[in-house]
Amino acid sequence: MKPFEYRRAEDPADAVAAVAGEPDAMFLAGGTNLVDHLKLGIANPDLLVDISRLPLNGVEELPDGRVRIGATVRNSDLAAHPLIRERYRVLSQALLAGASGQLRNMATTGGNLLQRTRCLYFQDVTTPCNKREPGTGCSAIGGYTRNHAILGASEACVAVHPSDMAVAMAALDAEVVVRGPSGERNIPLAGFHRLPGDKPERDTVLEHGELVTAVLLPPATQSHSAYRKVRDRASYAFALVSVAAVVSMNGDGTIREVRMALGGVAHKPWRAERAEAILRGAQASEENFRRAAEAELESASALGDNAFKIPMARNTMVAVLREVTGGISNV
Ligand SMILES: Cc1cc2nc3c(=O)[nH]c(=O)nc-3n(C[C@H](O)[C@H](O)[C@H](O)COP(=O)(O)OP(=O)(O)OC[C@H]3O[C@@H](n4cnc5c(N)ncnc54)[C@H](O)[C@@H]3O)c2cc1C
Ligand code: SF4
């Protein structure tokens, strides 16, 4: 591991100034992703700025009904928070589906959003990887691709984003609050992570030195929500496919409003806008669920080992829609 300087930030402004002022500086939160990367030689900062003890660890309801989640709130605390369990069930479920109890006790809201891909070539510094070292090539293309993307991939990178929490936040229309050297800005969660294009080294739209300070959830509505994660083992495994849905119904069995996002299928939490457009105003029926899922996956393409993800994503979307619209889920 390369030697580096360590500093504990005193307040958010100090943290931003410290990282912005040093090109090779990074924020350290729970360390559950970054410390592994330091050990593996994937991240080689000169300076680590510890933000884990900044006063950003609250979950509070704002006067307008939105809920503000501080960036250093631990994943286990967020999952267990009464406001989240009672009003944003999909988020609590997604958090509890991620990692292990010990990891959730360390992992933070900001760090979870900014964790990097679990592509095995990205983690192996002896292999070419455009995300780790731009311009070196992508070892996954033509290699082992069982866990890789079926939507929105590019010739430069076919990796997926591993977060469960972010998928639920995408379906909730959350916003990320960011503080940088020139002030604060809010970024819709759906636009926070990037598709790889020809710059896969950039996971998000954040600039160097920008600190995530909070995530804002819109006021909870009368809706049903659920998160379902399909994985190789019952726990402690990343999603092969996951689906988050938030649905409100009209009295006549039609869908008033629906928001869906998929995990494990793209370089970012994938907001299922095509499916949403078909479902809005439609009867909650098996036929419409399937039609919507198929429309969403029309542009999906398999890489070889991951062809199973296309029917798996379709079936999981249908199963979650059945669940949130009151039907019996049996997939
Ligand atoms: C074995 C294992 C299994 C796992 N399984 C899952 C899983 O199933 N689902 C899942 O979602 N996750 C899973 N994880 C990932 C885990 O959730 C993440 O490692 C964790 O959420 C990262 O949070 P952290 O606070 O530890 O981040 P850190 O490791 O401290 O930081 C991660 C990155 O975020 C940056 N960063 C952190 N906070 C901020 C901030 N506020 N502003 C700007 N940049 C910031 C850091 O600079 C770093 O680049 C797993 C991890 C492990 C090790
Ligand atoms: S898929 Fe992306 S992260 Fe994986 S090897 Fe290719 S460029 Fe690297």
Side-chain angles (χ1 to χ4, degrees), residues 9-270:
E10 282 169 18
D11 54 43
D14 175 43
V16 170
V19 171
E22 164 58 68
D24 285 324
M26 293 182 82
F27 298 113
L28 174 72
T32 60
N33 193 221
L34 183 52
V35 173
D36 280 352
H37 288 181
L38 297 176
K39 291 183 195 160
L40 291 167
I42 296 170
N44 299 294
D46 288 332
L47 169 66
L48 274 191
V49 177
D50 187 345
I51 56 167
S52 62
R53 297 197 195 172
L54 293 182
L56 299 173
N57 61 347
V59 179
E60 54 168 342
E61 184 173 6
L62 302 179
D64 61 7
R66 290 181 301 166
V67 170
R68 185 183 176 93
I69 303 163
T72 61
V73 173
R74 305 286 172 175
N75 284 180
S76 46
D77 292 337
L78 187 57
H81 197 282
L83 269 177
I84 304 301
R85 279 181 31 222
E86 285 160 22
R87 299 191 202 165
Y88 304 93
R89 176 176 177 256
V90 65
L91 178 54
S92 187
Q93 284 181 335
L95 284 157
L96 292 174
S100 63
Q102 291 94 330
L103 283 159
R104 292 194 294 269
N105 286 342
M106 287 303 290
T108 62
T109 303
N112 191 287
L113 287 178
L114 285 151
Q115 65 176 298
R116 307 208 69 195
T117 184
R118 292 277 157 174
C119 171
L120 58 90
Y121 302 103
F122 175 76
Q123 312 226 90
D124 177 355
V125 291
T126 65
T127 62
C129 167
N130 287 325
K131 184 180 277 300
R132 184 169 24 77
E133 257 185 86
T136 56
C138 172
S139 299
I141 295 174
Y144 179 69
T145 51
R146 184 168 183 274
N147 298 322
H148 289 74
I150 53 170
L151 289 163
S154 73
E155 286 179 7
C157 178
V158 293
V160 296
H161 194 266
S163 170
D164 291 294
M165 182 195 79
V167 179
M169 286 179 171
L172 285 167
D173 265 345
E175 278 184 344
V176 185
V177 185
V178 171
R179 179 173 181 151
S182 46
E184 200 170 86
R185 63 179 178 134
N186 286 16
I187 306 168
L189 197 287
F192 182 73
H193 297 96
R194 295 179 65 255
L195 289 179
D198 60 1
K199 287 207 172 6
E201 68 276 16
R202 291 200 64 189
D203 294 334
T204 69
V205 299
L206 278 193
E207 301 294 340
H208 179 70
E210 282 191 311
L211 173 75
V212 171
T213 55
V215 171
L216 289 173
L217 303 179
T221 52
Q222 285 292 325
S223 57
H224 298 282
S225 69
Y227 184 75
R228 187 176 294 211
K229 176 176 180 178
V230 187
R231 50 188 155 177
D232 284 326
R233 295 184 303 274
S235 71
Y236 205 35
F238 289 93
L240 293 166
V241 164
S242 70
V243 175
V246 182
V247 172
S248 58
M249 301 287 292
N250 293 314
D252 61 359
T254 56
I255 296 172
R256 183 163 57 232
E257 184 50 37
V258 53
R259 298 194 303 273
M260 284 188 105
L262 310 184
V265 295
H267 200 252
K268 57 185 282 186
W270 185 268

